[in-house]
Amino acid sequence: MGFDEYNLLGVIAFLVGFVFLYGYRGKKKSSSANSMEMKSGGFVKITSNGAIYRPEMARSTDVIIVGAGVAGAALAYTLGKDGRRVHVIERDLNEPDRIVGELLQPGGYLKLIELGLEDCVKEIDAQRVFGYALYKDGRSTKLTYPLENFRSDVAGRSFHNGRFIQRMREKASSLPNVRLEQGTVTSLLEEKGTIKGVQYKNKAGEEMASHAPLTIVCDGCFSNLRRSLCKPKVEIPSCFVGLVLENCDLPFANHGHVILADPSPILFYPISGTEIRCLVDVPGQKVPSVANGEMANYLKTVVAPQIPPELHAAFIAAIDKGSIRTMTNRSMPAAPFPTPGALLMGDAFNMRHPLTGGGMTVALSDIVVLRDLLRPLHDLRDSSALCKYLESFYTLRKPVASTINTLAGALYKVFCASPDPARKEMREACFDYLSLGGICSNGPVALLSGLNPRPLSLVLHFFAVAIYGVGRLLIPFPSPRRMWIGARLISGASGIIFPIIKAEGVRQMFFPVTVPAYYRVPPVN
């Protein structure tokens, strides 16, 4: 064997030895790190096969997300897919059991597609929803989503909320740079006015801390952290009483059903192939007691007579079964403090009456806006520059979020019964206007579904309903009494919508381009 051959063998042997030695040292280092993680409590990665330790992920985090509901889980997947190292802390990783968050509008489904999460509505027995049926005083009208210009799978989806959230959590935790941990966040860690991370108790009850340049709070409507980041003005207009109807079919298949009942609306929509959710709205903060039978009596004597005949027997059977649940409805406009190192999202940040099922659409739309803002940023550590830049998030989200929020609040007030003749006329005019078809139904339904969430369109249709109501009063002969009711109808319509718009922010809602933050450019890394 010549000199060149020996040289070549020597080089190969050296390389093999180097790789072996480096691998051995790396394994030893990894073993040591794993030991340290186990001693400190570690971070738990939740997968479909159970919990496994991910010590290599504990060294650094870009974003902490508090809460793994719809907003938190979707955000974790979105940021993780963009390469961010994400630590999600959720109080309870078991499947949630809620009576709201079960209807995703088509506009929300489009955002789900945009985020790459559309498969989360598969394998959970989700039902396609194509519109609404509206009932009033024995009359009904069908309102169909304007889906002609979208691909065939685009429609609303209704499902068990918990199944949907678990699918989202599985999707997020499938990414190697996302870790999902069960724990209760007790406080935000603040240093000189900047949020540096969170203090929390892990599943074992140990006090832990997690640090990151950006903390996003998504801990839901009962958030205990929002007071540090916004001015919460929570209103409680009503409560939902929830039942599940079995062994019956809705009069209009694959449609949500809204009954304009007295004193307030009743909703029906499918949540699986065999179950129909019923939500009875009870105005105010106090509901009849479930424990002593007052609620069952209220449902049978006040609500049942107003239920469509096709659903009456199943409704009574659901009451007799006894699984009656209640949920407080909350409304809260977004009023954040721009805080370096932290951001609010989801129901912790902004809520509207759930009558129109717009909450998930707003949350997913917000995630798309935030994703696009964060994409140009490679370094999140300049907290003051990042905070100033992310102020544009609050402006860019406004047209979509404010339209859905305003519509939910306005429709709820219009749909509730009232002894006031002007309010009665407004309610009647709304039903008849939507029954006209064409642009009179397509326009409002496009707003409701999140397919065309434009503030100006909302205001135009709202006052078109009011003017239509006045026209009905004045034709064929305008008596002084009818003219007075018409004037009060316009005044009442203004009194419903303008306070909601004011709370949302007129400038941000209608003229976002005039807000300086609209043009804010990413900070220089």
Side-chain angles (χ1 to χ4, degrees), residues 327-348:
M327 172 76 183
T328 302
N329 295 325
R330 288 171 167 81
S331 176
M332 185 183 79
F337 303 131
T339 306
L343 201 68
L344 272 169
M345 291 196 76
D347 281 352

Side-chain angles (χ1 to χ4, degrees), residues 181-509:
E181 181 180 13
Q182 183 161 307
T184 302
V185 175
T186 53
S187 63
L188 300 173
L189 297 176
E190 185 179 339
E191 184 181 311
K192 297 179 181 178
T194 298
I195 303 301
K196 298 290 188 179
V198 298
Q199 191 86 23
Y200 69 101
K201 287 185 179 180
N202 66 10
K203 191 175 181 180
E206 300 166 316
E207 286 284 350
M208 307 286 288
S210 183
H211 298 83
L214 180 60
T215 298
I216 303 176
V217 175
C218 306
D219 57 345
C221 62
F222 301 106
S223 173
N224 63 343
L225 302 176
R226 67 159 67 100
R227 288 188 179 277
S228 305
L229 303 172
C230 77
K231 299 175 183 176
K233 296 179 181 177
V234 180
E235 293 182 7
I236 300 178
S238 66
C239 298
F240 268 157
V241 179
L243 298 163
V244 174
L245 278 58
E246 299 172 329
N247 305 315
C248 66
D249 296 316
L250 288 165
F252 296 89
N254 299 104
H255 282 66
H257 290 55
V258 182
I259 291 86
L260 303 189
D262 187 356
S264 53
I266 305 164
L267 308 180
F268 294 92
Y269 50 86
I271 54 173
S272 74
T274 59
E275 299 164 298
I276 293 169
R277 169 66 72 196
C278 171
L279 294 174
V280 178
D281 186 84
V282 179
Q285 300 182 25
K286 189 176 180 181
V287 298
S289 170
V290 175
N292 66 13
E294 286 180 6
M295 179 62 76
N297 183 61
Y298 174 81
L299 293 174
K300 286 183 176 180
T301 58
V302 177
V303 179
Q306 304 181 74
I307 299 294
E310 300 94 326
L311 301 172
H312 189 272
F315 181 77
I316 297 298
I319 298 169
D320 291 338
K321 192 175 180 181
S323 53
I324 302 170
R325 301 176 59 192
T326 61
M327 172 76 183
T328 302
N329 295 325
R330 288 171 167 81
S331 176
M332 185 183 79
F337 303 131
T339 306
L343 201 68
L344 272 169
M345 291 196 76
D347 281 352
F349 170 50
N350 183 206
M351 293 180 281
R352 76 291 309 148
H353 195 285
L355 172 70
T356 58
M360 290 188 287
T361 301
V362 171
L364 294 170
S365 175
D366 284 354
I367 291 168
V368 170
V369 172
L370 183 62
R371 176 201 66 182
D372 294 344
L373 282 171
L374 291 179
R375 268 184 172 167
L377 304 179
H378 301 294
D379 187 356
L380 303 178
R381 286 175 294 182
D382 187 345
S383 56
S384 59
L386 178 64
C387 177
K388 191 171 179 64
Y389 172 58
L390 288 182
E391 283 182 31
S392 59
F393 165 75
Y394 300 121
T395 302
L396 294 171
R397 71 178 291 274
K398 271 292 180 181
V400 172
S402 296
T403 301
I404 292 172
N405 294 346
T406 305
L407 181 64
L411 267 187
Y412 177 70
K413 290 185 177 180
V414 171
F415 281 178
C416 285
S418 170
D420 183 350
R423 287 285 295 274
K424 283 183 179 179
E425 285 293 336
M426 184 70 178
R427 193 183 194 215
E428 187 71 32
C430 186
F431 180 88
D432 289 349
Y433 181 85
L434 293 171
S435 301
L436 293 173
I439 193 172
C440 297
S441 64
N442 286 343
V445 173
L447 290 164
L448 176 74
S449 62
L451 294 172
N452 181 34
R454 295 184 181 178
L456 185 58
S457 177
L458 166 63
V459 172
L460 289 175
H461 278 289
F462 190 80
F463 280 102
V465 170
I467 292 166
Y468 176 76
V470 172
R472 285 165 16 112
L473 284 166
L474 300 184
I475 295 172
F477 302 111
S479 68
R481 181 179 178 277
R482 286 171 169 264
M483 291 173 66
W484 171 243
I485 293 174
R488 288 187 55 230
L489 193 158
I490 295 292
S491 174
S494 302
I496 287 172
I497 198 166
F498 287 142
I500 303 173
I501 290 174
K502 183 181 178 183
E504 290 290 333
V506 176
R507 187 179 177 190
Q508 293 90 337
M509 189 170 172

Side-chain angles (χ1 to χ4, degrees), residues 57-279:
M57 290 300 301
R59 287 190 280 270
S60 60
T61 301
D62 296 317
V63 181
I64 296 167
I65 296 175
V66 182
V70 171
L75 183 61
Y77 176 77
T78 301
L79 298 183
K81 196 171 65 168
D82 278 359
R84 308 286 182 187
R85 292 161 296 189
V86 182
H87 180 195
V88 187
I89 305 170
E90 163 58 37
R91 184 182 58 82
D92 186 356
L93 287 171
N94 293 311
E95 183 174 309
D97 183 14
R98 304 178 67 206
I99 64 170
V100 292
E102 297 172 318
L103 177 62
L104 180 67
Q105 296 287 3
Y109 182 73
L110 288 174
K111 297 299 178 184
L112 214 59
I113 293 172
E114 197 170 344
L115 296 170
L117 288 164
E118 67 271 26
D119 57 340
C120 291
V121 297
K122 297 176 180 175
E123 300 175 11
I124 60 171
D125 199 13
Q127 303 297 299
R128 289 161 66 87
V129 179
F130 297 109
Y132 282 89
L134 201 59
Y135 284 75
K136 186 180 184 300
D137 300 330
R139 296 175 294 152
S140 65
T141 186
K142 188 168 78 167
L143 310 173
T144 304
Y145 295 137
L147 299 172
E148 299 81 11
N149 298 323
F150 298 95
R151 68 191 214 192
S152 60
D153 67 310
V154 175
R157 294 292 193 282
S158 53
F159 38 67
H160 282 270
N161 172 268
R163 295 176 188 173
F164 180 56
I165 286 176
Q166 289 301 87
R167 289 279 288 153
M168 302 264 271
R169 290 173 178 174
E170 288 170 12
K171 186 91 170 178
S173 65
S174 69
L175 298 175
N177 51 322
V178 174
R179 64 183 184 269
L180 197 57
E181 181 180 13
Q182 183 161 307
T184 302
V185 175
T186 53
S187 63
L188 300 173
L189 297 176
E190 185 179 339
E191 184 181 311
K192 297 179 181 178
T194 298
I195 303 301
K196 298 290 188 179
V198 298
Q199 191 86 23
Y200 69 101
K201 287 185 179 180
N202 66 10
K203 191 175 181 180
E206 300 166 316
E207 286 284 350
M208 307 286 288
S210 183
H211 298 83
L214 180 60
T215 298
I216 303 176
V217 175
C218 306
D219 57 345
C221 62
F222 301 106
S223 173
N224 63 343
L225 302 176
R226 67 159 67 100
R227 288 188 179 277
S228 305
L229 303 172
C230 77
K231 299 175 183 176
K233 296 179 181 177
V234 180
E235 293 182 7
I236 300 178
S238 66
C239 298
F240 268 157
V241 179
L243 298 163
V244 174
L245 278 58
E246 299 172 329
N247 305 315
C248 66
D249 296 316
L250 288 165
F252 296 89
N254 299 104
H255 282 66
H257 290 55
V258 182
I259 291 86
L260 303 189
D262 187 356
S264 53
I266 305 164
L267 308 180
F268 294 92
Y269 50 86
I271 54 173
S272 74
T274 59
E275 299 164 298
I276 293 169
R277 169 66 72 196
C278 171
L279 294 174

